[in-house]
């Protein structure tokens, strides 16, 4: 897989050089910001000293400026020469990743801002309308991921770079009935079973079509959301939409696994593209009876509310027993660092397992699930507060696998039978989507299914 590439060219109009960028192939952690090229012009480097000086000046005068209707915060001095985009804004992810058959947004490193959105085809719309919509969506996604906009654009992201924008498209179980393609619906798309912890809202679950949007800038992500929603007008209706966030790349002194809203390091045991069996676990193989899905993947999406008030009342020791890992660095309770293998057979002086039998990390481990694993790529969410004052917050859980029955369903059934963390979680919505491979050049996502 090729790497994301900083973009320094113009934002509008056609691109004139070779296509930049693709996925890095690393779901965690986010890459460190690249250093400026040696010998390059001084204007290419974003001056930290100058930026901090601007912020300091704004802090001294911002309240006065705000009271007079001025802008508060860092801003460029009038007359300054234009500067190149910072590395955060310039990074581009290719809509058609070089050397990979799958869509962007699966192995792309976690992004700071995300939207998950589902649509249902409009009444009377069928296969022809679905094909036209996916063609429009694919064209728009490719334009936006490259950082290009038009004069007719909303203007939300006119002054931003691509900011690692990714757009990923999926098809729900109901899509195939609506388009007369039930005979080509994969068995892997059969509805997920019910779990005892489920409290699912059908209005925020499933859907004919699903889109995952991610970017390292919130305005760039929102801009993509609006553009794709406008493209759907007349062809599909919004079913549900959720907003998420992660830590911004560069917010830590060195790249590291992200944390969730419980404060836990989240994603330590994720499969890695360097694993010999990574593609076999995550992507549909060439022996699939549904040829149009070869190289694609299946996404399970769950809105999981965290009972943060109850969780935060537990002592650090209790929280670590529930998870099976140290909160400070993600290391297993059996010792070492975050990446040290957990010793599930280790016992303490009392003869009990060091990692409790119902600890989340033990129950979810591949060793406890006949080797089953899935690529987790979630976002945190916070949607205000509930009537009782508790935060409506948690995890927009997204996981990827070649076969949901052998990955998500198998692991979730095990968690359902005895996971200490389940007492602090509520699964409130759910969806399962077939995510076709990336479109070929000049093509659109899903064409082999819809026109094959």
């Amino acid at each position: 897989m090729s790497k994301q590439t900083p973009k320094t060219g113009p934002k509008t109009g056609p691109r004139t050089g070779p296509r930049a960028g693709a996925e890095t192939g690393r779901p965690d952690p986010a890459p460190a910001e690249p250093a400026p090229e040696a010998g390059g012009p001084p204007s290419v480097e974003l001056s930290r000293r100058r930026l901090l000086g601007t912020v300091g000046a704004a802090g001294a005068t911002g309240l006065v400026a705000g009271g007079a209707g001025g802008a508060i915060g860092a801003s460029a001095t009038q007359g300054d020469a234009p500067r190149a985009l910072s590395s955060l804004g310039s990074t581009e992810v290719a809509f058609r990743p070089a050397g990979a058959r799958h869509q962007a947004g699966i192995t792309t490193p976690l992004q700071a801002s995300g939207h998950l959105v589902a649509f249902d085809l409009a009444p009377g719309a069928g296969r022809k309308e679905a094909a036209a919509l996916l063609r429009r969506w694919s064209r728009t996604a490719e334009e936006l991921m490259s950082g290009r906009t038009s004069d007719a654009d909303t203007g939300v992201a006119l002054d931003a770079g691509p900011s690692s924008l990714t757009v990923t498209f999926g098809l729900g179980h109901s899509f195939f009935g609506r388009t007369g393609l039930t005979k080509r619906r994969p068995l892997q798309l059969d509805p997920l079973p019910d779990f005892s912890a489920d409290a699912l809202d059908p209005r925020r679950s499933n859907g004919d079509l699903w889109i995952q949007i991610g970017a390292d800038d919130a305005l760039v992500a929102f801009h993509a959301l609006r553009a794709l929603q406008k493209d759907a007008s007349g062809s599909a209706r919004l079913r549900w939409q959720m907003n998420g966030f992660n830590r911004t790349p560069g917010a830590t002194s060195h790249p590291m696994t992200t944390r969730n809203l419980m404060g836990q390091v989240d994603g330590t045991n994720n499969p890695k593209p360097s694993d010999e069996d990574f593609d076999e676990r995550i992507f549909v193989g060439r022996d699939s009876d549904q040829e149009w899905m070869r190289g694609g993947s299946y996404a399970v999406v769950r809105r999981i509310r965290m009972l943060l008030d109850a969780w935060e009342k537990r002592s650090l020791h209790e929280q670590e027993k529930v998870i099976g890992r140290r909160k400070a660095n993600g290391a297993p309770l059996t010792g070492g660092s975050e990446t040290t293998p957990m010793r599930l057979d280790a016992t303490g002086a009392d003869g009990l397992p060091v990692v409790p039998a119902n600890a989340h990390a033990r129950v979810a481990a591949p060793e406890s699930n006949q080797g089953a694993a899935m690529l987790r790529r979630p976002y945190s969410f916070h949607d205000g507060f509930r009537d009782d004052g508790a935060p409506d917050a948690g995890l927009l859980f997204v996981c990827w696998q070649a076969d949901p029955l052998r990955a998500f369903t198998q692991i979730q059934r095990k968690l359902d039978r005895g996971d200490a963390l389940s007492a602090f979680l509520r699964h409130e919505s759910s969806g399962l989507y077939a995510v076709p491979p990336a479109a070929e050049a000049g093509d659109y996502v899903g064409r082999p299914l819809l026109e094959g």
Side-chain angles (χ1 to χ4, degrees):
M1 299 180 187
S2 58
K3 296 187 177 181
Q4 291 177 329
T5 307
K7 176 182 177 179
T8 57
K11 182 176 174 56
T12 58
R15 296 173 60 83
T16 56
R19 177 162 186 80
E23 297 179 88
T24 65
R26 295 188 302 105
D28 279 312
E33 293 187 358
E37 287 186 20
S43 62
V44 172
E45 182 180 1
L46 178 65
S47 170
R48 175 176 171 83
R49 180 180 302 171
R50 187 170 182 278
L51 176 60
L52 291 177
T54 307
V55 172
T61 62
L63 290 178
V64 176
I72 300 177
S75 60
T77 304
Q78 288 186 349
D80 282 355
R83 288 176 174 268
L85 291 166
S86 72
S87 59
L88 183 67
S90 64
T91 306
E92 177 183 346
V93 180
F95 178 67
R96 297 177 174 84
R101 297 188 65 199
H102 57 266
Q103 294 186 56
I106 301 176
T107 60
T108 308
L110 288 178
Q111 293 145 301
S113 182
H115 301 287
L116 307 179
V117 56
F119 293 84
D120 287 331
L121 290 171
R127 184 171 173 177
K128 178 180 178 181
E129 290 76 15
L133 174 58
L134 282 164
R135 187 180 296 110
R136 290 196 300 275
W137 273 351
S138 295
R139 183 172 58 247
T140 296
E142 183 168 21
E143 289 289 307
L144 296 180
M145 286 172 60
S146 70
R148 295 197 294 265
T149 58
S150 68
D151 292 337
D153 195 84
T154 61
V156 174
L158 280 178
D159 46 2
S163 301
S164 299
L165 174 68
T166 62
V167 181
T168 316
F169 300 107
L171 312 174
H173 185 275
S174 57
F175 176 85
F176 295 81
R178 299 293 306 277
T179 55
L181 293 166
T182 53
K183 291 183 179 179
R184 303 191 71 184
R185 182 168 56 210
L187 293 176
Q188 290 81 1
L189 207 54
D190 285 352
L192 299 172
D194 295 330
F195 301 104
S196 63
D198 285 354
L200 305 182
D201 179 356
R203 296 169 301 178
R204 295 194 293 183
S205 300
N206 303 316
D208 295 342
L209 295 147
W210 173 74
I211 306 177
Q212 174 190 258
I213 299 167
D216 284 335
D217 179 79
L219 285 178
V220 169
F222 176 80
H223 174 241
L225 175 66
R226 289 293 295 138
L228 294 165
Q229 185 180 6
K230 289 194 297 180
D231 276 352
S233 179
S235 300
R237 300 184 300 186
L238 183 69
R239 181 179 179 90
W240 57 259
Q241 189 254 321
M242 301 174 191
N243 309 317
F245 58 90
N246 280 308
R247 178 173 276 156
T248 302
T252 55
S253 59
H254 60 278
M256 60 182 294
T257 308
T258 193
R259 292 183 184 271
N260 59 35
L261 298 189
M262 287 179 161
Q264 301 295 146
V265 174
D266 193 344
T268 299
N269 237 7
N270 249 344
K272 298 173 178 58
S274 57
D275 297 341
E276 289 185 4
D277 59 354
F278 180 82
D279 283 358
E280 179 184 343
R281 290 174 183 260
I282 308 305
F283 300 112
V284 177
R286 295 184 179 276
D287 58 347
S288 171
D289 59 346
Q290 296 294 347
E291 186 175 352
W292 64 270
M293 268 297 290
R294 295 174 186 175
S297 188
Y298 291 92
V300 174
V301 181
R302 310 274 280 186
R303 184 187 194 271
I304 305 175
R305 180 165 56 90
M306 296 175 171
L307 308 185
L308 294 177
D309 285 346
W311 175 255
E312 290 161 4
K313 290 177 182 176
R314 299 298 190 269
S315 68
L316 176 62
H317 176 72
E318 289 176 310
Q319 291 179 355
E320 291 182 339
K321 286 289 187 181
V322 167
I323 300 298
R325 292 182 175 275
R326 300 294 179 197
K327 195 169 188 176
N329 60 2
L333 297 184
T334 49
S337 66
E338 180 190 348
T339 57
T340 301
M342 184 176 291
R343 293 186 292 117
L344 298 179
D345 58 347
T347 57
D350 55 5
L352 297 175
V354 176
V355 180
N358 63 349
H360 180 74
R362 174 190 281 273
V363 179
E367 298 88 337
S368 303
N369 293 278
Q370 300 177 318
M374 52 198 176
L375 178 64
R376 290 164 290 148
R377 197 177 180 281
Y379 288 94
S380 293
F381 75 87
H382 178 220
D383 292 335
F385 295 86
R386 296 165 62 84
D387 291 342
D388 60 0
D392 186 6
L395 201 67
L396 298 181
F397 178 84
V398 182
C399 71
W400 300 90
Q401 58 263 289
D403 186 344
L405 182 62
R406 296 181 181 179
F408 173 80
T409 297
Q410 182 168 322
I411 295 171
Q412 188 59 36
R413 278 177 171 158
K414 188 72 174 286
L415 293 169
D416 211 34
R417 292 194 293 266
D419 170 30
L421 185 59
S422 294
F424 302 95
L425 306 176
R426 295 292 182 269
H427 291 243
E428 297 183 336
S429 72
S430 179
L432 170 61
Y433 307 96
V435 177
E440 300 288 342
D443 214 339
Y444 66 92
V445 172
R447 188 202 60 79
L449 168 66
L450 289 160
E451 299 183 24

